[in-house]
């Protein structure tokens, strides 16, 4: 078979491990030809192809990013996009398509599947918000990076008697904020799932600094917002493509906390450092398992599904079931974060 392969949306550590697994298993075990598309769905629309063989995947396991390139582009949202996808796949004689991406890329995959293309999805996102899977490629690395940053900020916070705000990614789900906050020992964690009351935040900080500590660390997801009816009025700041402006909520919290407490407060925005660098062993293993499962599914004729990890088992779930859904942080994990303040 001729199997297409793309990586779409934001880059994450571990993508190259998934690409490597698809190519090695597909070419070596099943005898398929793997055809890569550069820059995600845009490459499919433009017909920008890159035949993939073993020579392309040597020594890629420790490398971050994606050797295929990526872009935030969804063909179903572009005039003539789906028609262009179908034309390219026909011209390249692609019999099935493996799409590695987050909620946007996989939602596009569901639209392409509806048009008659055989599709297998692989979930990747540092936000860990793809519904139907316990974990997505890139999440473990991002949490490790954020946790290390919090560990490092502890010493300077204590040395200078400061409130330190660490802003992490998480537009609609606070997985990175909550898990890194717990692992890094943050005093407060603010996540989109649990709108905050600035008065309670300030009261907590004042009590902590008066009672037993001269510093505090607050971890906030970029998509965190104040609760309706509370004394802080804030609208999420977005850019021209709908992306949340990095640092916006962190800087606003800094101003609010300093004005209300008088405490010296600083902000560290981790931003794209969470996406970069060497993937953890866990992400390499998860990506490799997903890649093998995806090409095996194509070979078996099982398509229009997404690979998922549930417990210790890799399973296949219908791609239509996950399209457009968001996996939020569960209440029990939010409770743990609050309990350890």
């Amino acid at each position: 078979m001729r199997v297409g392969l793309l990586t779409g949306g934001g880059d994450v550590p571990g993508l190259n491990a998934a690409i490597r697994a698809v190519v090695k298993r597909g070419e070596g075990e099943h005898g398929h030809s793997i055809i890569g598309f550069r820059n995600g769905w845009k490459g499919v629309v433009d017909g920008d192809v890159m035949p993939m063989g073993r020579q392309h995947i040597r020594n890629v396991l420790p490398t971050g990013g994606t050797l295929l390139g990526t872009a935030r582009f969804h063909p179903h949202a572009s005039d003539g996009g789906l028609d262009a996808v179908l034309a390219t796949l026909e011209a390249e004689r692609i019999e099935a398509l493996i799409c590695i991406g987050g909620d946007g890329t996989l939602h596009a995959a569901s639209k392409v599947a509806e048009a008659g293309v055989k599709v297998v999805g692989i979930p990747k996102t540092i936000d860990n918000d793809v519904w139907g899977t316990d974990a997505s490629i890139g999440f473990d690395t991002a949490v490790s990076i954020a946790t290390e940053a919090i560990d490092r900020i502890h010493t300077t916070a204590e040395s200078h008697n400061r409130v330190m705000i660490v802003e992490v990614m998480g537009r609609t789900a606070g997985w990175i904020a909550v898990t890194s906050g717990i692992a890094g020992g943050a005093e407060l964690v603010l996540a989109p799932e649990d709108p905050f009351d600035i008065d309670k935040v300030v009261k907590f900080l004042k009590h902590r600094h008066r009672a037993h500590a001269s510093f505090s660390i607050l971890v906030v997801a970029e998509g965190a917002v104040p609760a309706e009816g509370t004394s802080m009025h804030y609208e999420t700041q977005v850019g021209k493509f709908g992306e949340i402006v990095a640092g916006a909520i962190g800087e606003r919290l800094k101003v609010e906390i300093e004005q209300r407490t008088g405490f010296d407060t600083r902000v560290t925005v981790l931003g794209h450092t969470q996406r970069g660098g060497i993937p953890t062993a866990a992400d390499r293993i998860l990506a490799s398992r997903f890649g093998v499962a995806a090409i095996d599914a194509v070979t078996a004729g099982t398509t229009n599904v997404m690979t998922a990890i549930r417990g210790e088992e890799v399973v296949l779930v219908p791609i239509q079931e996950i399209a457009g859904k968001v996996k939020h942080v569960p209440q029990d994990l939010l409770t743990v974060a609050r309990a350890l303040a």
Side-chain angles (χ1 to χ4, degrees):
M1 297 176 65
R2 285 173 65 84
V3 181
L5 176 64
L6 66 87
T7 54
D11 66 300
V12 304
L15 285 173
N16 287 326
I19 293 169
R20 173 179 177 269
V22 170
V23 173
K24 289 195 75 170
R25 180 75 163 179
E27 184 182 82
E29 181 71 20
H30 300 304
H32 300 320
S33 295
I34 309 300
I35 309 299
F37 289 97
R38 295 184 177 92
N39 303 320
W41 286 112
K42 191 173 188 305
V44 186
V45 168
D46 295 340
D48 191 355
V49 300
M50 174 183 175
M52 302 289 293
R54 285 179 173 268
Q55 69 272 25
H56 299 102
I57 56 169
R58 293 192 180 101
N59 303 317
V60 300
L61 268 178
T63 306
T66 164
L67 60 88
L68 285 175
T70 188
R72 295 188 184 278
F73 177 86
H74 303 141
H76 63 286
S78 175
D79 289 340
L82 282 176
D83 290 337
V85 166
L86 297 177
T88 296
L89 296 180
E90 183 179 4
E92 294 294 332
R93 295 177 288 113
I94 301 298
E95 299 170 70
L97 190 60
I98 295 177
C99 310
I100 310 174
D103 53 357
T105 300
L106 295 175
H107 185 57
S110 72
K111 296 298 183 182
V112 172
E114 288 175 4
V117 178
K118 296 178 180 179
V119 172
V120 175
I122 295 178
K124 68 85 209 164
T125 170
I126 64 169
D127 290 341
N128 200 39
D129 60 355
V130 174
W131 192 89
T133 181
D134 292 350
S136 297
I137 300 169
F139 174 61
D140 187 77
T141 303
V143 172
S144 297
I145 291 168
T147 300
E148 182 179 356
I150 296 168
D151 288 343
R152 292 177 181 274
I153 282 169
H154 260 101
T155 54
T156 187
E158 190 168 9
S159 296
H160 290 274
N161 302 325
R162 286 173 175 155
V163 175
M164 300 293 278
I165 298 170
V166 181
E167 183 182 308
V168 299
M169 287 184 173
R171 180 172 54 185
T172 57
W175 286 96
I176 297 176
V178 173
T179 53
S180 67
I182 293 171
E187 277 69 54
L188 287 170
V189 176
L190 306 182
E193 290 88 347
D194 191 15
F196 61 89
D197 183 339
I198 190 63
D199 291 324
K200 291 182 179 179
V201 170
V202 166
K203 181 179 180 180
F204 171 85
L205 292 173
K206 285 181 176 179
H207 173 76
R208 171 180 161 81
H209 287 223
R210 181 171 57 247
H212 58 84
S214 59
F215 74 97
S216 295
I217 293 177
L218 187 158
V219 177
V220 58
E222 62 185 357
V225 293
E228 292 186 13
T230 55
S231 64
M232 176 178 162
H233 302 286
Y234 173 82
E235 291 187 6
T236 302
Q237 305 298 300
V238 298
K240 61 181 180 179
F241 298 113
E243 77 282 7
I244 292 181
V245 175
I249 184 62
E251 289 295 336
R252 177 62 185 278
L253 282 169
K254 172 185 181 298
V255 171
E256 294 284 344
I257 290 171
E258 283 191 329
Q259 289 180 346
R260 294 168 185 251
T261 66
F263 298 153
D264 186 15
T265 306
R266 303 296 173 90
V267 181
T268 298
V269 181
L270 297 188
H272 288 82
T273 61
Q274 296 159 93
R275 294 189 181 279
I278 298 171
T280 60
D283 267 331
R284 300 184 203 190
I285 294 167
L286 182 65
S288 298
R289 294 182 71 186
F290 280 170
V292 169
I295 194 66
D296 283 354
V298 167
T299 304
T302 306
T303 55
N304 301 345
V305 295
M306 181 192 77
T307 63
I309 186 80
R310 294 182 176 177
E312 295 299 320
E313 184 182 4
V314 173
V315 298
L316 301 174
V317 298
I319 204 164
Q320 295 296 340
E321 287 187 8
I322 62 97
K325 296 181 180 179
V326 176
K327 184 184 72 174
H328 291 289
V329 179
Q331 188 60 47
D332 63 330
L333 202 55
L334 293 170
T335 299
V336 171
R338 287 194 294 266
L340 297 179

